[in-house]
Amino acid sequence: MIIAFLNAGEEVKYVAKNWYPIIDKDKCIQCYQCVNFCPHDVYTIGDDGYPAVVNPDNCVEFCRGCSKICDNEAITYFGDRR
């Protein structure tokens, strides 16, 4: 299920219910680029010190911004068809 919404002055964003980031802790170096980058509050820093996906419903489908800035390729997506 995809919900489209429009904020005043913004383009339509598609929020995915079946598509969200997954952090590979074997590749993650805890730099927090993804946490600091995401404007949709998808991440927080978990109790174990790794980025944690706490708001997967906020993830904008096919944005992939956080994986693009991850130097260690530690982010993949549930529901990704690539």
Side-chain angles (χ1 to χ4, degrees):
M1 171 199 260
I2 298 173
I3 299 172
F5 63 94
L6 182 64
N7 290 327
E10 292 184 7
E11 62 187 280
V12 174
K13 297 191 185 325
Y14 296 93
V15 178
K17 302 298 179 192
N18 295 310
W19 192 84
Y20 52 85
I22 299 169
I23 305 295
D24 182 339
K25 292 181 180 179
D26 291 332
K27 293 181 179 179
C28 179
I29 61 168
Q30 299 170 309
C31 67
Y32 309 123
Q33 286 188 89
C34 55
V35 176
N36 295 325
F37 171 82
C38 183
H40 307 288
D41 296 320
V42 171
Y43 300 97
T44 192
I45 299 171
D47 293 338
D48 60 359
Y50 286 93
V53 177
V54 291
N55 295 308
D57 291 347
N58 289 359
C59 189
V60 177
E61 188 167 13
F62 303 115
C63 167
R64 292 190 180 92
C66 58
S67 68
K68 290 176 183 174
I69 64 158
C70 180
D71 294 331
N72 291 322
E73 300 178 350
I75 301 172
T76 57
Y77 297 90
F78 175 85
D80 201 353
R81 292 176 183 82
R82 308 208 251 188

